[in-house]
């Protein structure tokens, strides 16, 4: 295969992949009919297939009403949380260890009202006698204080409501030091002379949002896991098409965005219903509904679930649910991306486990930029046999060009005879015309897997490298890396054996470095750093391979 055409093939594959991502993005904001798929709270419909617990009035809280909202403030070492006394919902969560903007002290707001959008977590007890099923609206809880601060390892925030029959509902959030998961515990004290029935629901509501640009290809939308489906995305458009309704043992639901996730994990030893709904044409809901719980007269019952709101860190998510770590979405190449990410973390920290058999602890690099360079060197070194086969095949094909020209002149327009003679020449010279293509195809999954690792890893958010590169998750502010990448791509072109003679193809190849440099201007600098280092290593490997071949008398460049 001609080397320049092979190089063009790589470039077109990359561009095509990104364009396909843009076209196939399943999280576009759908055009929703406000009347379509909209459900409201139904108090006595436990056996109805279309039962979807919703918020108090069937309406989302608005910016106008938020100012009147009575909230309880909770502060831990990892976030500040605001809990609405009406319904006991988490209406705001600021992550204290993550900045909203690099270099500023404002913490990252995960839940809340921002940029005209709303994102919050709801939970309640519906069912025949649940306070959230009342026609009078959702319950207003009371607390002994309006603010709570974590001072030890655990903080319990109890909210209490007593209905008109004297039944007491205590909704308690349990916060723990250093953890982003919050336990939800309901204690129901039935002091009446009759049995009651309640049903726990947990859900996340979010304003339907437009997706990002071509460069920002990170998924924004819902996901769920069930006994049959470990991880399945359920985008805004999916919800607009059809409400989710799955009965499963255990399971979970989540809303995913770049670097962060919020997820409800219900009790895993019982049957749960996973559901979704588009509400009022502007908000998307995904949630879980537990089995009804019967509480006999004069007895108590406890009902629980777990809510996670924080960074997409695989270890912490997997500890809550075996499949929740899949929300760290490495795409279909996850089986390659996951070990590569573990290697990247090991290079950074110097600590890790070897296939889970034993732990390793050595001095790490302590810099994510250096870790990216190191993993690039390792990957390129491991793939060196493929690279050598690729460049060797290219050089041999270049050496056969005079013989190819002679065959073309001999057989003229007789393509059949020309093809037969060409194949005989390849066989005689022991040259595989596809030898330059197969190594590239084998390397592409590795490159794409690393692409997802750098794009999805929370650890790289706001990570510094050196000098002007203070955030590897953001574009290079001075475009130095994209320019250097273009220069390295140009040098790579010049070093490769030139076989293209068509003027149009030559022009395309000439402008490829410029096109890709412009394209990479808005890429995260960590990704561009990886491609730049990869190109520089390729140049070094190419020079080494070609020097060895020239010593053997094989003409590499004309």
């Amino acid at each position: 295969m001609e080397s320049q055409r092979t190089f063009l093939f790589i470039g077109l594959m990359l561009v095509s992949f990104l364009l396909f991502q843009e076209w196939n993005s399943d999280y576009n904001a759908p055009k929703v009919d406000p009347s379509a798929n909209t459900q409201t709270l139904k108090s006595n419909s436990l056996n109805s297939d279309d039962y979807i617990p919703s918020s108090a009035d069937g309406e989302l809280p608005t910016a106008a009403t938020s100012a009147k909202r009575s909230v309880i403030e909770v502060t831990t070492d990892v976030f500040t949380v605001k809990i609405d006394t009406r319904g006991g919902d988490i209406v705001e969560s600021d992550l204290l260890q993550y900045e909203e903007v690099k270099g500023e002290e404002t913490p990252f707001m995960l839940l809340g009202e921002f940029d005209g959008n709303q994102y919050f977590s709801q939970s309640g007890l519906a069912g025949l006698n649940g306070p959230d099923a009342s026609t009078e609206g959702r319950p207003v809880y009371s607390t002994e204080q309006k603010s709570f601060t974590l001072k030890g390892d655990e903080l319990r925030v109890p909210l209490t409501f007593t209905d008109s029959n004297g039944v007491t509902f205590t909704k308690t959030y349990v916060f723990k030091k250093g953890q982003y998961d919050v336990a939800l515990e309901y204690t129901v004290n039935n002091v009446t002379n009759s049995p009651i029935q309640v049903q726990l629901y947990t859900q996340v509501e979010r304003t339907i949002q437009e997706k990002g640009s071509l460069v920002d290809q990170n998924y924004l939308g819902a996901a769920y896991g069930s006994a049959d489906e470990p991880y399945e995305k359920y985008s805004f458009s999916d919800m607009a098409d059809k409400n989710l309704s799955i009965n499963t043992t255990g399971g979970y639901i989540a809303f995913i965005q770049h670097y962060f996730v919020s997820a409800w994990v219900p009790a895993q030893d019982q049957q749960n219903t996973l559901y979704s709904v588009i509400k009022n044409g502007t908000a998307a809901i995904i949630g879980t509904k537990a089995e009804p719980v019967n509480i006999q007269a004069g007895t108590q019952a406890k009902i629980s679930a777990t809510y996670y709101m924080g960074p997409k860190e695989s270890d912490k998510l997997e500890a809550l649910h075996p499949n929740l770590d899949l929300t760290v979405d490495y795409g279909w190449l996850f089986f390659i991306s996951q070990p590569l990410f573990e290697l990247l973390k090991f290079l950074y920290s110097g600590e890790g486990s070897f296939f889970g058999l034993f732990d390793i602890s050595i001095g790490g690099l302590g810099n994510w930029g250096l870790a990216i360079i190191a993993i690039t060197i390792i990957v390129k070194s491991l793939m060196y046999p493929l690279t050598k086969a690729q460049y060797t095949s290219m050089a041999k094909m270049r050496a056969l060009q005079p013989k190819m020209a002679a065959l073309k002149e001999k057989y003229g327009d007789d393509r059949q005879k020309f093809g037969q003679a060409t194949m005989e020449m390849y066989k005689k010279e022991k040259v595989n015309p596809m030898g330059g293509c197969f190594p590239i195809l084998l390397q592409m999954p590795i490159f794409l897997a690393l692409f997802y690792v750098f794009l999805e890893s929370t650890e790289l958010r706001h990570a510094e490298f050196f000098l002007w590169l203070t955030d590897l998750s953001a574009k290079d502010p001075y475009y130095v890396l994209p320019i250097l990448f273009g220069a390295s791509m140009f040098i790579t072109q010049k070093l490769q054996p030139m076989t293209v003679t068509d003027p149009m193809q030559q022009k395309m190849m000439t402008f490829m470095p410029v096109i890709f440099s412009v394209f990479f201007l808005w890429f995260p600098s960590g990704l561009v750093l990886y491609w730049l280092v990869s190109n520089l290593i390729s140049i070094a490997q190419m020079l080494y391979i070609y020097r060895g071949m020239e010593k053997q008398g094989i003409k590499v460049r004309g």
Side-chain angles (χ1 to χ4, degrees):
M1 175 176 284
E2 296 178 346
S3 62
Q4 299 300 316
R5 289 185 180 180
T6 302
F7 193 80
L8 179 61
F9 173 74
I10 299 174
L12 291 177
M13 279 195 69
L14 177 59
V15 175
S16 298
F17 167 75
L18 291 170
L19 290 176
F20 174 77
Q21 288 285 87
E22 174 73 0
W23 174 79
N24 195 46
S25 296
D26 56 354
Y27 49 93
N28 281 304
K31 297 179 180 179
V32 181
D33 181 354
S35 64
N37 292 335
T38 301
Q39 309 263 354
T40 56
L41 185 63
K42 302 177 182 178
S43 60
N44 298 310
S45 307
L46 287 175
N47 297 318
S48 174
D49 292 335
D50 62 355
Y51 175 78
I52 300 293
S54 188
S55 57
D57 308 311
E59 300 289 338
L60 284 169
T62 63
T65 60
S66 64
K68 303 176 183 179
R69 184 183 295 143
S70 175
V71 298
I72 303 161
E73 296 188 2
V74 180
T75 303
T76 74
D77 57 326
V78 295
F79 43 44
T80 58
V81 172
K82 291 183 180 179
I83 302 172
D84 192 347
T85 55
R86 178 175 292 278
D89 299 329
I90 298 177
V91 294
E92 186 173 313
S93 176
D94 299 319
L95 308 186
L96 300 179
Q97 297 182 9
Y98 293 87
E99 297 173 323
E100 184 79 38
V101 179
K102 176 69 175 179
E104 297 184 3
E105 296 182 357
T106 305
F108 178 79
M109 179 185 287
L110 179 60
L111 304 182
E113 299 177 1
F114 42 87
D115 300 329
N117 299 310
Q118 298 167 326
Y119 182 22
F120 53 92
S121 169
Q122 288 184 315
S123 56
L125 293 178
L128 291 173
N129 307 104
D132 291 87
S134 172
T135 56
E136 298 178 359
R138 299 187 70 200
V140 177
Y141 288 91
S142 60
T143 58
E144 294 181 355
Q145 56 196 75
K146 288 296 184 181
S147 63
F148 296 80
T149 302
L150 176 68
K151 296 181 180 179
D153 293 330
E154 182 179 288
L155 172 65
R156 300 180 67 86
V157 180
L159 298 84
T160 304
F161 171 77
T162 302
D163 68 10
S164 57
N165 296 319
V167 179
T168 301
F169 302 87
T170 302
K171 183 176 186 178
T172 304
Y173 287 103
V174 183
F175 299 86
K176 293 185 179 181
K177 184 178 180 180
Q179 294 185 202
Y180 291 96
D181 54 292
V182 180
L184 171 66
E185 299 177 358
Y186 267 103
T187 301
V188 182
N189 186 12
N190 181 13
V191 297
T192 69
N193 296 321
S194 303
I196 62 173
Q197 188 182 80
V198 297
Q199 189 171 21
L200 174 67
Y201 73 89
T202 60
Q203 63 187 34
V204 181
E205 298 192 11
R206 182 163 190 156
T207 303
I208 297 171
Q209 293 177 249
E210 296 281 351
K211 71 180 186 65
S213 63
L214 175 62
V215 175
D216 181 13
Q217 287 300 314
N218 303 286
Y219 178 72
L220 173 62
Y224 68 89
S226 66
D228 297 325
E229 296 287 346
Y231 172 71
E232 191 72 25
K233 293 178 182 177
Y234 210 72
S235 65
F236 294 135
S237 58
D238 289 332
M239 295 185 192
D241 292 338
K242 182 181 180 181
N243 288 336
L244 177 68
S245 181
I246 295 178
N247 293 319
T248 181
T249 301
Y252 67 87
I253 59 93
F255 248 112
I256 303 171
Q257 66 190 72
H258 198 194
Y259 298 129
F260 302 99
V261 61
S262 67
W264 275 107
V265 181
Q268 296 299 293
D269 58 352
Q270 67 178 24
Q271 287 293 116
N272 298 296
T273 299
L274 312 183
Y275 63 84
S276 75
V277 64
I278 294 292
K279 192 163 65 176
N280 303 326
T282 59
I285 300 172
I286 188 167
T288 73
K289 180 177 60 175
E291 294 177 315
V293 177
N294 295 307
I295 307 170
Q296 300 302 316
T299 64
Q300 287 187 351
K302 292 188 176 181
I303 308 169
S304 62
T306 303
Y307 182 60
Y308 182 92
M309 46 183 172
K312 291 194 285 189
E313 297 183 7
S314 300
D315 296 342
K316 294 179 179 178
L317 294 170
E318 189 176 12
L320 296 179
H321 189 284
N323 299 320
L324 191 57
D325 64 318
L326 296 177
T327 57
V328 185
D329 191 1
Y330 291 130
W332 62 278
L333 291 170
F334 67 92
F335 56 93
I336 301 176
S337 296
Q338 286 178 341
L340 286 175
F341 175 63
E342 291 301 320
L343 175 59
L344 184 67
K345 286 200 302 183
F346 174 75
L347 292 171
Y348 172 80
S349 65
E351 297 181 353
S353 60
F354 186 72
F355 297 109
L357 299 177
F358 55 87
D359 294 332
I360 303 175
S361 181
I362 60 175
L365 296 171
N367 182 290
W368 287 107
L370 294 178
I372 289 175
I373 293 174
I375 197 173
T376 308
I377 294 173
I378 292 173
V379 170
K380 292 290 289 185
S381 299
L382 292 175
M383 292 193 299
Y384 176 74
L386 294 176
T387 302
K388 184 177 181 180
Q390 172 191 340
Y391 291 146
T392 300
S393 178
M394 289 179 177
K396 287 182 177 180
M397 289 295 293
R398 169 65 179 84
L400 291 178
Q401 287 304 304
K403 294 183 179 181
M404 289 282 291
L407 289 176
K408 190 172 184 178
E409 183 178 353
K410 179 178 180 180
Y411 294 106
D413 295 331
D414 192 335
R415 295 187 177 182
Q416 183 176 357
K417 289 185 178 180
F418 173 73
Q420 291 175 347
T422 301
M423 295 307 296
E424 289 177 2
M425 180 186 66
Y426 288 153
K427 186 176 181 179
K428 180 180 179 181
E429 299 292 337
K430 298 180 180 180
V431 174
N432 182 0
M434 299 299 292
C437 182
F438 284 135
I440 296 174
L441 294 178
L442 292 174
Q443 293 176 56
M444 285 305 293
I446 304 294
F447 292 146
L448 293 179
L450 279 171
F451 175 89
Y452 278 113
V453 167
F454 298 147
L455 199 64
E456 189 72 2
S457 301
T458 305
E459 288 79 358
L460 295 181
R461 183 180 187 269
H462 293 174
E464 296 186 3
F465 183 26
F466 73 101
L467 298 178
W468 73 98
L469 295 174
T470 58
D471 186 357
L472 290 171
S473 66
K475 68 179 183 180
D476 184 333
Y478 302 110
Y479 307 113
V480 175
L481 289 182
I483 293 173
L484 291 177
F485 167 81
S488 68
M489 192 174 180
F490 178 78
I491 294 172
T492 303
Q493 280 187 332
K494 292 301 181 181
L495 289 176
Q496 287 188 12
M498 176 62 69
T499 60
V500 173
T501 57
D502 180 70
M504 181 59 69
Q505 290 189 37
Q506 288 181 344
K507 288 182 179 180
M508 289 181 64
M509 297 309 302
T510 301
F511 282 102
M512 283 288 284
V514 178
I515 294 172
F516 273 83
S517 294
V518 173
F519 196 65
F520 278 21
L521 290 178
W522 293 274
F523 265 52
S525 55
L527 282 173
V528 185
L529 176 64
Y530 159 69
W531 282 105
L532 171 61
V533 175
S534 180
N535 276 1
L536 294 177
I537 296 173
S538 294
I539 291 172
Q541 290 177 338
M542 196 183 307
L543 290 172
Y544 177 76
I545 293 169
Y546 288 167
R547 186 176 294 112
M549 294 181 67
E550 288 172 350
K551 288 181 180 180
Q552 298 175 16
I554 300 175
K555 186 177 180 181
V556 177
R557 287 159 288 179

